[in-house]
Amino acid sequence: FTLMAMPPLVIQATQRHTATIIWLHGLGDTGAGWRPAMPIFRMPWAKFILPTAPVQPVTMNMGMSMTSWYDIKGLAPNEEQDEVGLERSRKIVEEIVRQEIANGIPSHRLVLAGFSQGGVMALLTGLRFGQRLGGIVGVSCYLPLAHTFPKAIHEANHHVPVLLCHQTDDPLVQYSFGQRTSTLLKESSEVPVEWRSYQGGGHGVSDQELLDIGAFLRRVLPERDDEGSTASMQGISITTIIEPPSI
């Protein structure tokens, strides 16, 4: 197990920085794999932080070492979960959030988002975080350690906006996994969940999905921060769309 494979990729805001989005990749990917998607969200006031997961053996992949936020035993609904690995990566992600708050961005101007394994980590970390977040986005994922919820939701995030997106034909993380997560949060908590389903994308992300995610992000993190925040203007520009294959 390597604590971090590499430093997070950071895409600075191209105008006054008032919000930050932390995007977490899927199994075997890196933060850089999602870099081309970020401009699609059309948020020049936002800084994007794209961490890369630690390198570790993955049981499901015959013990091969790769970037992975936690070990995956298998993809069956009742498969044993790597609680130790989940907690270890939760602390890594939470530390990135805390560093951003220390740098002057209020917690309510932060969103945790991710694809597949990364979406799992966004849900786990965001719902348990002790300060109010701006939102959580989970794409092609599920809520881990579901038996600990809703009790595990921190009172600060009882009303955090959550967007869940899933392809109906996902062959790896079953569509029903996402549905169950949405139902659990809607029926047993006060968390406002938006559930969106798509067709034909498999275990990937469609153009429409990215546009919908962007609309959600701009709604929960609008350019104007009425409660105020500090940060300076820096930036780069990038383009194109991706459909990552990792889980």
Side-chain angles (χ1 to χ4, degrees), residues 57-242:
V58 176
T59 301
M60 185 182 70
N61 287 352
M62 298 177 291
M64 292 176 60
S65 290
M66 60 191 67
T67 53
S68 182
W69 294 109
Y70 52 90
D71 188 24
I72 302 177
K73 313 287 186 184
L75 296 174
N78 298 316
E79 201 72 54
E80 179 187 355
Q81 297 183 67
D82 177 17
E83 294 193 36
V84 172
L86 284 161
E87 177 62 15
R88 186 165 46 205
S89 285
R90 186 188 68 81
K91 289 179 178 178
I92 291 173
V93 176
E94 187 170 290
E95 179 56 28
I96 296 171
V97 176
R98 294 192 185 283
Q99 287 177 1
E100 201 61 12
I101 294 171
N103 288 338
I105 297 299
S107 64
H108 71 275
R109 297 291 294 171
L110 286 155
V111 163
L112 276 174
F115 173 76
S116 197
Q117 244 201 1
V120 169
M121 291 311 308
L123 286 169
L124 180 68
T125 308
L127 292 171
R128 294 187 179 209
F129 191 64
Q131 298 178 63
R132 177 169 64 98
L133 295 174
I136 301 170
V137 177
V139 183
S140 302
C141 67
Y142 57 90
L143 182 67
L145 310 179
H147 63 282
T148 67
F149 288 89
K151 186 177 180 181
I153 301 174
H154 194 283
E155 61 182 1
N157 284 297
H158 274 180
H159 300 97
V160 61
V162 173
L163 174 65
L164 297 175
C165 304
H166 219 112
Q167 297 284 340
T168 57
D169 61 335
D170 190 329
L172 292 177
V173 181
Q174 296 175 32
Y175 180 71
S176 61
F177 288 16
Q179 283 182 310
R180 280 201 296 270
T181 294
S182 175
T183 300
L184 172 64
L185 291 176
K186 285 179 178 178
E187 293 183 352
S188 65
S189 76
E190 298 175 341
V191 173
V193 177
E194 294 181 42
W195 167 253
R196 291 183 177 268
S197 60
Y198 305 84
Q199 296 181 346
H203 192 63
V205 184
S206 67
D207 294 359
Q208 186 59 53
E209 204 167 352
L210 289 170
L211 293 174
D212 290 346
I213 293 167
F216 173 84
L217 291 173
R218 291 190 299 275
R219 188 171 78 246
V220 300
L221 295 179
E223 180 176 1
R224 180 188 171 110
D225 176 16
D226 292 332
E227 298 183 39
S229 97
T230 61
S232 59
M233 184 176 78
Q234 303 177 57
I236 64 175
S237 74
I238 44 185
T239 55
T240 72
I241 265 188
I242 54 172

